[in-house]
Amino acid sequence: MCRILVINPGGTSTKVGLYEDENSLFVEKIKHSNEELSGFDSHIAQYEFRKNHILKFLESKGITLESLDAVVGRGGPFLPLESGTYRINDKILNDVRNGKVQSEHISNIGIFLASGIAKPLGIPSFFVDPVSVDEYEPVARISGLKELPRLSLSHALNMKAVARRAAKQLNSPYETLNLIIVHLGSGISVGAHKKGRQIDSSNANDEAPFSPQRAGALPLLGLIKLCYSNQYNEKEMVKKVLKKAGLYSHLETDDVEEIEEKITNGDKKAKLTLEAMAYQVSKWIGQMAVVLSGKVDAIVISGGIAHSRFVVDYIKNKTEFLGKIIVLPGEDEMEALAMGALRVLKGEEEAKTIR
């Protein structure tokens, strides 16, 4: 039996889970106040603070470190990588430490926490399917400006895990299927999975459907004018399009349940706005169907918003002509991380290494 510690750092919390093979013993969240975190000038600077909280938490649960077989941490927007489970080594740690990443994000610290706990114990540490999983075909990388190639940044961890779950329902190996995977969360990703590889996708921070918080693709000339309007500096613009856009921009809330309640009470603006988000998701599904030349075994809808009957029914009505639709609501990044490590520990998959 393999006992795996899972660590997933968030903006104001660190999620910690313990798995024995496929079974979750617990998944809990250690919360950190803004006051506690305000004293750190970078995410990596939070390492000792978060590690100490994790160790104290495990002690409080009666978990001895010596009982662990492996530790797995969340991976962030590193440089482009193939999908898979990776051993954490000095190369990837130094790359992140030296800023060799696509963007600064709290998830980058996950590999430091996993390695920092595992190394003194002499056990392996891993990360699985980071945000920067890149399996694009060459034609998918080219945009209309040579200075701005299309980047593969998506909710790869959950999307790959969901793809494998859907494959089991279809009684076929993931590597034999053509799937369109839709992740509906605070950011939205839509990906074309061809025979086990995500060969194209939306970029949740960039060209994508708008989401509860993010702007997605915008009218280009209008965006340029807004950037040069002297109303916002660069930092404010980034916050505007990534945190204060989408549903929030139109309705002053990013809570889909609250918006659905407004719709039930007759709010026409709320209804039109939520329909518009689902409409854009549906268009992206159509794009991914073209990427797969119309050969689609299933469209798989997942993420927190997949609990919304309003959104899912709208997408179904627009896209069901393309093929079978499978709805797997919610997201379980912790389980996906644990299962990635378990596949390696059981010899079902060979761990990759950054060189």
Side-chain angles (χ1 to χ4, degrees), residues 2-69:
C2 300
R3 184 173 262 208
I4 303 166
L5 177 67
V6 183
I7 301 170
N8 187 352
T12 57
S13 66
T14 305
K15 197 176 286 186
V16 179
L18 187 64
Y19 287 76
E20 284 187 349
D21 288 350
E22 292 85 0
N23 302 312
S24 170
L25 300 185
F26 63 79
V27 174
E28 296 188 29
K29 188 180 288 186
I30 304 170
K31 294 183 179 180
H32 313 300
S33 69
N34 289 322
E35 290 75 20
E36 287 179 305
L37 299 177
S38 62
F40 300 101
D41 59 5
S42 69
H43 292 138
I44 291 179
Q46 298 176 21
Y47 165 71
E48 289 290 348
F49 168 80
R50 292 197 185 229
K51 178 185 170 186
N52 289 336
H53 271 277
I54 293 169
L55 295 177
K56 289 178 183 177
F57 169 77
L58 293 175
E59 185 179 358
S60 73
K61 300 286 288 186
I63 306 301
T64 60
L65 297 181
E66 290 72 23
S67 70
L68 303 176
D69 295 295

